[in-house]
């Protein structure tokens, strides 16, 4: 997600720092080594655009040097987002940076490539394609967040149209979802004035309870969100059970499947799992191309079962840059590169290639889970392809242990690994847990290195007594609250109470 940035007032800007030094040597910036120019000793512009130009090689080097202080994406095991693509498609994507995807007249082949991807994804999700069926609809998005926004809007508008036709009140829509949803679902409900109705997790259940979900349905329910691969534990929610209960009770309530992470995993590791358009109540599905679709961020997809589930008044028929087109997006302009990258992966890998990759990732996650279990960890995720290829766990209950999951995460970060610690969703938020996402470039060799560092981190923490751990907690707190991190949130927004995090202290997982 994009962070809000605070624009600093003049009084908040740091004053110019003076220091005594030897006078600078006069140089020609065009010919001098980057680090021999005055730019190397000047403070980088932070709050106001500079008056004069900077030579391009110096600007590039200054930015590269700053970005080198970021973490290594390949060691960021918190994120589902793709960190590896082949050089051949990287070159094609770079060549396509200047293509504005919305300009179908100028770039018709890019638009055609999107259409091919939509068709391939819809069929992967078992869309009805017989002669009696209506044509399914789909589109690319910036990511699953935009796809979820579009899916939510479509469900709300369809519900409103039905209520209007029946002469009933349509001012109080609600949506049903698990309290462990990704934050974009909270945003969709909040932004589009929809009441959130939660099926809360428990200390032993971290997915939606189908019966509780269906019991919450009333005349104002626009739909039920079911997650194929939760952010916390990677578990697949039982979409079929929700569908069957709705059918059994003759309830007209659609299901939207949030398959952001699992949509490109389950069809290859568990093809017999019924969660998609084979279920009559499933009307729309979103999936992230930039997660297990194996494309760099950001690209997502959303598919609707038929045109009736995408109300006409949400679609704009426009003439833009000389071409007639139908548009249903939250944004307009975007690059074509990531759509092209998705098509490359589809034709490069095929179903066999995706199956091979997802099977390997599942085998590695199963191995890691078994090794962690030997160390006494309590495994919370599924194995053998019954969930996403990740390992979620908590430390074993031990009243004598002086450290927790957050201390362990900090120890691993000091060794270069980003392994997040979380508090669970509301009603089970007292439970702390950790999670490692296994991505395409996480080989068994890297897994062995992580397990070795994990053991060393445990040994280091086990050696600490209570006094040393108290000092370590202060160190962790100071590390997390450095001034440059504090500036990410304006004090005006610190006390919000409308989100699950504001109400219950839920820790939002990295997507």
């Amino acid at each position: 997600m994009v962070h809000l940035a605070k624009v600093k007032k003049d009084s908040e800007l740091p004053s110019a720092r003076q220091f005594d030094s030897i006078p600078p040597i006069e140089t020609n910036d065009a010919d001098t080594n980057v680090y021999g120019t005055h730019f190397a000793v000047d403070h980088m512009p932070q709050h106001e655009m500079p008056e004069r130009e900077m030579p391009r090689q110096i600007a590039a080097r200054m930015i590269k040097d700053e970005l080198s202080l970021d973490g290594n994406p390949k060691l960021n095991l918190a994120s589902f987002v793709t960190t590896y693509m082949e050089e051949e498609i990287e070159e094609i994507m770079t060549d396509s940076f200047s293509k504005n995807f919305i300009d179908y007249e100028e770039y018709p082949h890019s638009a055609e490539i999107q259409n091919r991807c939509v068709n391939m994804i819809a069929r992967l999700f078992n869309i009805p394609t017989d002669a009696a069926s209506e044509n399914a609809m789909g589109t690319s998005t910036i990511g699953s967040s935009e796809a979820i926004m579009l899916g939510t809007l479509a469900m709300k508008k369809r519900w409103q149209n039905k209520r209007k036709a029946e002469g009933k009140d349509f001012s109080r829509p609600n949506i049903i979802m698990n309290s462990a949803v990704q934050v974009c679902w909270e945003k969709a409900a909040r932004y589009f004035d929809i009441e959130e109705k939660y099926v809360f997790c428990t200390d032993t259940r971290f997915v939606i309870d189908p019966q509780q979900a269906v019991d919450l349905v009333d005349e104002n329910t626009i739909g039920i969100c079911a997650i194929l691969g939760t952010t916390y534990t990677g578990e697949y929610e039982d979409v079929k059970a929700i569908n069957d209960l709705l059918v059994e009770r003759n309830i007209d309530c659609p299901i939207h499947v949030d398959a952001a992470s699992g949509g490109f995993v389950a069809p290859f590791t568990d093809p017999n799992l019924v969660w998609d358009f084979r279920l009559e109540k499933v009307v729309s599905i979103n999936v992230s191309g930039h997660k297990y679709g194996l494309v760099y961020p950001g690209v997502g997809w959303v598919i609707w079962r038929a045109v009736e589930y995408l109300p006409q008044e949400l679609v704009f028929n426009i003439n833009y840059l000389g071409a007639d087109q139908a548009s249903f997006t939250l944004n307009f302009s975007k690059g074509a590169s990531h759509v092209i990258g998705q098509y490359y992966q589809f034709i490069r890998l095929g179903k066999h290639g995706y199956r091979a990759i997802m099977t390997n990732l599942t085998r590695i996650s199963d191995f890691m889970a078994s090794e962690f279990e030997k160390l006494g960890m309590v495994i919370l995720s599924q194995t053998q392809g019954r969930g996403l290829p990740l390992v979620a766990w908590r430390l074993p209950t031990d009243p004598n242990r002086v450290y927790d999951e957050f201390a362990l995460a900090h120890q691993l970060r000091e060794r270069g690994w980003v392994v997040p610690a979380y508090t669970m969703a509301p009603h089970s938020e007292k439970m702390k847990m950790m999670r490692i996402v296994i991505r395409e470039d996480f080989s068994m060799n890297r897994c062995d290195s992580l397990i070795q560092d994990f053991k060393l981190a445990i040994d280091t923490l086990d050696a600490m007594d209570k006094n040393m751990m108290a000092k370590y907690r202060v160190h962790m707190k100071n590390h997390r609250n450095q001034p440059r991190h504090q500036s990410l949130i304006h004090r005006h927004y610190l006390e919000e109470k409308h989100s699950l995090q504001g109400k219950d202290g839920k820790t939002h997982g990295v997507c």
Side-chain angles (χ1 to χ4, degrees), residues 366-377 447 451 455:
D366 285 357
F367 172 76
M368 181 179 288
S370 68
E371 291 298 300
F372 280 11
E373 207 164 19
K374 292 175 186 176
L375 295 172
M377 303 300 118
C447 175
I451 291 172
K455 292 176 180 178

Side-chain angles (χ1 to χ4, degrees), residues 128 158 239-240 243-244 246-248 250-255 274-284 305 308-309:
R158 182 170 177 266
V239 188
K240 186 176 186 303
N243 176 89
D244 292 350
L246 291 171
V247 172
E248 179 186 320
N250 195 29
I251 298 175
D252 181 17
C253 177
I255 299 172
V274 179
W275 61 273
D276 51 22
F277 290 116
R278 286 170 286 184
L279 301 172
E280 64 178 276
K281 294 297 183 179
V282 173
V283 302
S284 50
R305 174 184 287 273
E308 68 171 289
Y309 300 106

Side-chain angles (χ1 to χ4, degrees), residues 268 344-356:
F268 304 109
Y344 172 87
Q345 296 291 47
F346 286 168
I347 65 172
R348 163 76 176 95
L349 297 172
K351 292 180 180 179
H352 182 272
Y354 270 91
R355 190 175 298 112

Side-chain angles (χ1 to χ4, degrees), residues 169-409:
D169 176 69
F170 54 90
S171 64
R172 296 180 294 122
N174 67 61
I175 188 168
I176 296 165
M177 49 192 169
N178 179 6
S179 62
V181 289
Q182 215 274 343
V183 69
C184 60
W185 280 100
E186 292 184 63
K187 293 170 73 173
R190 176 70 46 174
Y191 293 172
F192 302 143
D193 291 322
I194 302 168
E195 178 193 355
E196 302 127 293
K197 296 179 74 172
Y198 291 108
V199 176
F200 287 96
C201 296
T202 70
D203 292 336
T204 57
R205 174 182 53 75
F206 313 120
V207 291
I208 201 167
D209 180 277
Q211 181 153 336
Q212 287 186 37
V214 176
D215 287 346
L216 285 173
V217 174
D218 60 27
E219 63 179 4
N220 293 315
T221 301
I222 68 170
I224 299 174
C225 160
I227 310 171
L228 193 74
T230 64
T231 302
Y232 289 92
T233 60
E235 295 172 90
Y236 298 151
E237 296 192 323
D238 195 342
V239 188
K240 186 176 186 303
I242 299 172
N243 176 89
D244 292 350
L245 281 170
L246 291 171
V247 172
E248 179 186 320
R249 300 184 189 181
N250 195 29
I251 298 175
D252 181 17
C253 177
I255 299 172
H256 176 98
V257 179
D258 180 0
S261 298
F264 286 125
V265 178
F268 304 109
T269 59
D270 193 359
N272 295 322
L273 180 67
V274 179
W275 61 273
D276 51 22
F277 290 116
R278 286 170 286 184
L279 301 172
E280 64 178 276
K281 294 297 183 179
V282 173
V283 302
S284 50
I285 300 173
N286 69 277
V287 65
S288 289
H290 60 226
K291 293 182 181 176
Y292 289 109
L294 308 181
V295 182
Y296 291 140
V299 61
W301 304 90
V302 57
I303 311 292
W304 287 272
R305 174 184 287 273
V307 292
E308 68 171 289
Y309 300 106
L310 178 52
Q312 185 181 30
E313 56 266 50
L314 292 176
V315 177
F316 287 83
N317 293 314
I318 55 178
N319 184 287
Y320 183 69
L321 298 177
D324 292 322
Q325 54 190 272
S327 174
F328 181 34
T329 60
L330 294 182
N331 67 294
F332 207 51
S333 294
K334 67 177 179 181
S337 298
H338 295 84
V339 171
I340 295 167
Q342 186 74 82
Y343 184 61
Y344 172 87
Q345 296 291 47
F346 286 168
I347 65 172
R348 163 76 176 95
L349 297 172
K351 292 180 180 179
H352 182 272
Y354 270 91
R355 190 175 298 112
I357 291 169
M358 301 309 158
T359 298
N360 279 351
L361 300 185
T362 300
R363 292 178 64 190
I364 292 171
S365 65
D366 285 357
F367 172 76
M368 181 179 288
S370 68
E371 291 298 300
F372 280 11
E373 207 164 19
K374 292 175 186 176
L375 295 172
M377 303 300 118
V378 179
I379 305 301
L380 305 173
S381 49
Q382 298 293 316
T383 57
Q384 298 182 332
R386 295 190 299 267
L388 297 178
L390 60 78
V391 182
W393 77 96
R394 65 173 176 82
L395 292 169
T397 302
D398 182 356
N400 297 317
R401 189 179 58 245
V402 296
Y403 60 88
D404 62 5
E405 286 79 358
F406 288 90
L408 179 53

